[in-house]
Amino acid sequence: MHIVDGALANSVVAGGAVVAVGGIALGLRHLPIEKIPAAGVLSASFFVASLIHVPVGPSSVHLILNGLAGLVLGWAAFPALFVGLLLQAVFFGFGGLTVLGINAVNIAMPAVIAGLIFRPMIGRGSHLAGAIWGGIGGAFAITLTTLMVAISLMMSGEEFNAAAKLVFFTHIPVMGIEAVLTAAAVYLARTVKPELFSTMKGPNA
């Protein structure tokens, strides 16, 4: 899902950078000390999951697990995912530094939105019900990320329209995989650490 350097219009790159700075600042405000270990684990999970990627035009297909990050961290998912993106750009050249902002927005903002919508539902009912909502949240986050990547490409010129459609359709299988993985992770968390969701009333807690 990383967009590479040079693929986007300057206005899209600049706008993404501005929004990313705001998201990171807000995320750091919602990152208390007790959330730092979870943020580190989820940042590492994103880093590892998205290392195996298949190039698709100006983007790539890979797992992200941003939905899980948003469900657990809320706004704090923004800096956590940004760190993963930064390390990938520096050490492996995935995406790039000039598009770091827009890549962070496309991946972290859906995570935050998924947390806002679905996290309150995860702590209710049985473990299975929480896992189902978690799976839906995971699929929602990757779907929204795919749409945002496609929009970013289309805003950069009509020549990217075909690539934008390709990015969306090639990620349909990934949406199902992310749903299953996120549901399994939420079920495990509800089983071994139920307070992770039940004691926090929302993503901003």
Side-chain angles (χ1 to χ4, degrees):
M1 201 71 71
H2 300 64
I3 299 176
V4 299
D5 279 332
L8 299 178
N10 291 336
S11 58
V12 177
V13 172
V18 171
V19 176
V21 169
I24 293 169
L26 191 56
L28 290 174
R29 290 182 57 189
H30 292 86
L31 184 59
I33 294 177
E34 59 269 19
K35 273 190 178 181
I36 291 178
V41 170
L42 290 165
S43 181
S45 298
F46 161 75
F47 181 86
V48 173
S50 56
L51 279 181
I52 303 176
H53 69 290
V54 179
V56 177
S59 184
S60 57
V61 175
H62 54 77
L63 295 175
I64 299 181
L65 299 180
N66 59 333
L68 179 60
L71 292 172
V72 175
L73 299 174
W75 273 104
F78 224 112
L81 294 172
F82 174 81
V83 169
L85 282 167
L86 176 62
L87 293 176
Q88 288 180 344
V90 171
F91 291 111
F92 300 101
F94 292 173
L97 294 178
T98 64
V99 290
L100 189 57
I102 189 65
N103 278 334
V105 171
N106 288 341
I107 291 175
M109 188 59 73
V112 172
I113 295 173
L116 289 170
I117 296 174
F118 296 102
R119 180 174 174 174
M121 305 173 187
I122 291 177
R124 304 171 186 169
S126 66
H127 292 352
L128 179 59
I132 292 173
W133 281 115
I136 295 173
F140 172 85
I142 185 67
T143 301
L144 186 55
T145 290
T146 304
L147 289 173
M148 290 179 65
V149 169
I151 291 171
S152 298
L153 292 170
M154 289 188 291
M155 289 176 62
S156 298
E158 294 183 359
E159 64 271 20
F160 289 109
N161 287 351
K165 294 177 182 178
L166 181 63
V167 166
F168 179 81
F169 287 111
T170 53
H171 275 85
I172 292 178
V174 179
M175 298 171 191
I177 297 173
E178 292 259 350
V180 172
L181 291 177
T182 305
V186 169
Y187 186 89
L188 178 62
R190 283 286 308 270
T191 302
V192 304
K193 196 175 178 60
E195 69 273 11
L196 187 63
F197 297 108
S198 62
T199 61
M200 297 181 184
K201 299 183 183 301
N204 297 330

